[in-house]
Amino acid sequence: MKVIDKIRAAAAGGDANGSANGNGCDSSSNSKVVFSFEFFPPKTEDGVDNLFERMDRMVFHNPSFCDITWGAGGSTADLTLDIANKMQNIICVETMMHLTCTNMPVEKIDQALETIKSNGIQNVLALRGDPPHGQDKFVQIQGGFSCALDLVKHIRSKYEAHPDMIGSDGFATLEDYHKDLAYLKQKVDAGADLIVTQLFYDTNVFLKFVNDCRQIGITCPIVPGIMPINNYKGFIRMTGFCKTKIPAEVTAALEPIKDNEEAVRAYGIHLGTEMCKKILAHGIKTVHLYTLNMEKSALAILMNLGLIEESKITRPLPWRPPTNVFRVKEDVRPIFWANRPKSYLSRTIGWDQYPHGRWGDSRNPSYGALSDYQFMRPRARGKKLLEEWAAPLKSVEDIYEKFKVYCLGKLKSSPWSELDGLQPETKIINEHLGKINLKGFLTINSQPAVNGEKSDSPSVGWGRPGGYVYQKAYLEFFCSKDKLNAIVDKCKSFPFVTYIAVNKGGSWISNVALTDVNAVTWGVFPAKEIIQPTVVDPASFSVWKDEAFEIWSRGWASLYPEGDPSRMLLEEVQSSYFLVSLVDNDYIHGDIFAVFADL
């Protein structure tokens, strides 16, 4: 979805992640505040891993979009393109990619535009850009663009006072200022949908700029760029580079505390909060936070403004909805990848159509083959797995114990999960999970039965306000053949329980047909059709089982050296156990854990 459409929707009093009509400049009390984050490409692999971990946490707060910068002269082009792709398609946040024309041939610009278009990205922040490091002036490449205006025209045809006007005293001459405004209007007239400002610390300057733009006929949204002060030296360096005017009161406040990083950060949060309050009070309902790849200050400002609450993170669906333009209507998924959403996205990225409304015939789309990608993990997560899961294992009972303590919330990682710790709904049943794990039923996915909980429930809620959500109790676990036989026999006394079981080799035991798709989560909302976002689909289960079994070796056993007894024990379990999907279809009176009684 285009960022401009999100801003217009919010201005019209709608959902900033939906669509509505409006000019993006509505200052009515019904307008919702649109906030967004900016990041830059780190220089190291660890830095990139850390960025995605941080980004994942920040996106939980539902920013309307995030952007990623483009290095001077295209110096980070490949990395920026890769990060933008993962932001849009794996992190699932609406992504705006910076694109500069300085020292960039048209062919390279077109290549970047074609890449992001094919990746489902619809938003570009067109900039002239800075000269490459070590070069103090701009050089126009033959066949390239000399200015952002040309770039805007090029983008539109085929598919900023600007710092250079500012003198050493921090001010632009009146003549240069008006020239720059006229040039800005040309860019808007050429097709720019919105304006994002450079950082500033004097809100009066920003408000005057907005008013001056309106006076000359610039009507598009003007988004204020707010950079929290995290440390004094970085603040001086950045404001010097950008020729940013520093108000005397800011200098006076920072000078006595400049060597106290904690005090500087606290002041930066206070200043950023007060700046935003003043801007919002003037009817401007957008805030763009330059994070410098740090989360605490940006989130603290938003919390101070009442725009986010740690305890009230809303979910449009039980899983994070995609933002890729090709799959934005997708609203149904198999439950099996609930704890591995990034793996699911990577294995379904090539589909021509995505399920909408109902799962349909899942045999039509083809899941992508397993690759190294599904088993790659950030170094921090790999370190946590090594700490928590690489203890010596002497017997299967040690494996049972490991699963039990994870289900009780005493471990923060699991080889079968990309997520951090237990999900809120798991805590409703974690004591029951702990007990059946000690019996040898090793759970990797679960949900409790829910009968008409409000959609804003902090543990099981999802979807828009005023709705009610429902769930069938679900368990997914590994167990031995003997224990599976006991479960199958026990299920004869539970007519509402359905099961699917398969081992690594593909031997299949089930009391449902391969084509029987079972909706296990659904929601009822005002003026909407019933939404059923998760299903149990036997055909997809046969695909998921390969990944689930492979995690025994590549996700856990690989933490031990070759030939280690613990590794050999895990590989033995992998080769002999069954993966079982169990659903209690009586979500009103059922008790799925009763199936495990006396076993």
Side-chain angles (χ1 to χ4, degrees):
M1 185 175 183
K2 291 186 177 180
V3 168
I4 183 61
D5 292 332
K6 293 194 169 196
I7 294 176
R8 287 172 176 160
D15 183 356
N17 292 310
S19 61
N21 293 322
N23 64 9
C25 305
D26 189 343
S27 60
S28 72
S29 59
N30 290 328
S31 298
K32 295 185 178 180
V33 177
V34 170
F35 66 87
S36 51
F37 302 123
E38 177 172 297
F39 305 97
F40 66 85
K43 295 180 179 179
T44 66
E45 287 186 20
D46 282 352
V48 173
D49 284 346
N50 291 335
L51 174 62
F52 283 125
E53 291 271 311
R54 189 170 293 117
M55 202 182 286
D56 219 2
R57 293 192 296 268
M58 296 179 77
V59 168
F60 268 113
H61 296 283
N62 297 317
S64 292
F65 70 94
C66 293
D67 67 1
I68 183 74
T69 64
W70 183 272
S75 55
T76 66
D78 291 342
L79 182 55
T80 293
L81 287 165
D82 183 58
I83 292 175
N85 179 29
K86 289 177 180 173
M87 287 170 65
Q88 185 82 18
N89 296 302
I90 303 299
I91 300 296
C92 292
V93 63
E94 197 66 61
T95 300
M96 176 184 285
M97 192 189 78
H98 290 211
L99 185 59
T100 66
C101 54
T102 300
N103 289 50
M104 289 277 292
V106 176
E107 293 77 16
K108 192 169 183 178
I109 290 173
D110 281 334
Q111 183 181 11
L113 292 170
E114 289 293 337
T115 298
I116 63 173
K117 181 180 178 181
S118 66
N119 289 333
I121 298 172
Q122 294 182 286
N123 302 286
V124 173
L125 187 62
L127 303 159
R128 185 194 64 184
D130 304 311
H133 181 69
Q135 186 174 304
D136 60 0
K137 63 181 181 179
F138 296 92
V139 177
Q140 183 180 357
I141 289 185
Q142 185 175 2
F145 298 130
S146 60
C147 61
L149 175 58
D150 292 338
L151 180 56
V152 171
K153 289 179 177 178
H154 179 72
I155 293 172
R156 279 297 186 191
S157 65
K158 191 170 182 180
Y159 314 73
E160 338 189 5
H162 192 280
D164 284 354
M165 294 294 185
I166 300 173
S168 57
D169 59 355
F171 295 91
T173 67
L174 192 60
E175 181 183 1
D176 284 341
Y177 177 65
H178 286 295
K179 283 182 180 178
D180 203 41
L181 284 178
Y183 178 62
L184 181 60
K185 188 173 189 305
Q186 290 181 52
K187 288 191 275 188
V188 174
D189 292 343
D193 288 320
L194 70 154
I195 297 163
V196 182
T197 77
Q198 185 60 275
L199 73 154
F200 59 89
Y201 294 97
D202 189 332
T203 50
N204 290 327
V205 170
F206 168 75
L207 294 170
K208 180 182 184 302
F209 168 71
V210 173
N211 184 65
D212 292 342
C213 286
R214 301 302 182 226
Q215 293 297 318
I216 65 169
I218 295 175
T219 60
C220 71
I222 299 174
V223 182
I226 307 296
M227 182 176 288
I229 303 172
N230 286 290
N231 66 78
Y232 184 76
K233 290 181 180 178
F235 166 72
I236 295 299
R237 182 173 61 252
M238 188 61 71
T239 53
F241 178 75
C242 296
K243 301 181 182 179
T244 304
K245 177 191 173 187
I246 305 173
E249 61 269 24
V250 174
T251 301
L254 285 171
E255 187 61 32
I257 61 172
K258 64 183 181 182
D259 296 322
N260 184 334
E261 192 164 312
E262 189 173 329
V264 169
R265 186 179 298 113
Y267 173 74
I269 293 169
H270 167 77
L271 177 63
T273 301
E274 294 306 309
M275 289 173 63
C276 290
K277 284 180 178 178
K278 186 172 180 178
I279 290 167
L280 296 176
H282 279 77
I284 294 165
K285 302 295 187 179
T286 52
V287 176
H288 187 59
L289 289 156
Y290 296 118
T291 69
L292 296 177
N293 291 1
M294 293 180 279
E295 64 188 296
K296 291 184 179 178
S297 293
L299 295 181
I301 290 170
L302 294 175
M303 282 189 274
N304 289 345
L305 296 170
L307 298 179
I308 63 172
E309 291 184 52
E310 288 287 356
S311 60
K312 291 186 178 180
I313 297 176
T314 59
R315 305 185 300 168
L317 291 167
W319 33 270
R320 189 179 294 168
T323 52
N324 183 306
V325 64
F326 302 120
R327 64 190 301 171
V328 288
K329 291 185 177 181
E330 176 188 9
D331 61 4
V332 189
R333 288 181 184 174
I335 196 172
F336 317 123
W337 282 271
N339 295 322
R340 290 175 62 81
K342 295 174 185 175
S343 175
Y344 180 80
L345 288 165
S346 70
R347 298 192 68 180
T348 58
I349 204 166
W351 287 5
D352 294 329
Q353 293 182 321
Y354 292 91
H356 176 59
R358 59 187 297 274
W359 180 247
D361 188 354
S362 62
R363 290 171 295 177
N364 287 337
S366 176
Y367 287 90
L370 280 176
S371 67
D372 289 342
Y373 180 83
Q374 279 79 42
F375 304 99
M376 292 171 62
R377 50 183 179 248
R379 298 187 189 208
R381 188 173 296 277
K383 184 178 179 182
K384 179 61 71 175
L385 282 170
L386 196 62
E387 291 173 358
E388 296 185 336
W389 290 79
L393 303 169
K394 297 180 180 178
S395 65
V396 289
E397 285 73 23
D398 289 340
I399 297 176
Y400 301 173
E401 178 69 20
K402 188 64 70 176
F403 275 85
K404 183 202 81 169
V405 295
Y406 174 72
C407 288
L408 295 180
K410 296 179 181 179
L411 302 179
K412 296 299 182 184
S413 65
S414 164
W416 283 270
S417 178
E418 299 168 345
L419 311 178
D420 291 324
L422 300 177
Q423 299 308 293
E425 67 175 2
T426 308
K427 296 175 183 178
I428 299 172
I429 55 174
N430 66 343
E431 293 289 340
H432 294 291
L433 294 173
K435 290 175 182 177
I436 67 171
N437 274 281
L438 274 185
K439 292 181 176 183
F441 302 96
L442 310 177
T443 58
I444 60 171
N445 195 356
S446 63
Q447 68 177 33
V450 173
N451 180 27
E453 282 281 346
K454 288 185 176 181
S455 59
D456 60 0
S457 163
S459 55
V460 298
W462 55 271
R464 62 179 57 192
Y468 291 88
V469 297
Y470 301 80
Q471 294 181 174
K472 296 175 182 177
Y474 176 76
L475 293 174
E476 187 178 324
F477 54 88
F478 293 100
C479 69
S480 66
K481 182 63 162 59
D482 289 344
K483 294 184 185 298
L484 173 61
N485 290 338
I487 285 286
V488 169
D489 189 57
K490 196 76 178 287
C491 281
K492 294 174 183 176
S493 303
F494 292 85
F496 291 104
V497 174
T498 52
Y499 59 85
I500 313 167
V502 63
N503 66 5
K504 190 173 186 293
S507 296
W508 189 273
I509 300 171
S510 178
N511 63 353
V512 297
L514 191 64
T515 56
D516 289 343
V517 178
N518 188 352
V520 291
T521 309
W522 64 99
V524 181
F525 303 93
K528 295 281 287 184
E529 292 186 356
I530 291 175
I531 302 171
Q532 51 173 55
T534 56
V535 299
V536 168
D537 167 45
S540 295
F541 189 66
S542 67
V543 175
W544 159 246
K545 69 94 177 173
D546 292 332
E547 186 170 333
F549 276 106
E550 192 69 12
I551 293 170
W552 279 101
S553 54
R554 298 182 68 169
W556 191 0
S558 63
L559 300 177
Y560 300 92
E562 285 280 357
D564 186 275
S566 298
R567 182 167 183 154
M568 295 168 67
L569 177 62
L570 293 171
E571 290 170 346
E572 181 183 337
V573 168
Q574 177 192 40
S575 63
S576 61
Y577 275 38
F578 276 73
L579 177 65
V580 184
S581 168
L582 198 69
V583 180
D584 185 349
N585 294 279
D586 184 356
Y587 61 91
I588 300 176
H589 302 297
D591 179 7
I592 197 169
F593 292 100
V595 176
F596 300 88
D598 304 322
L599 292 182

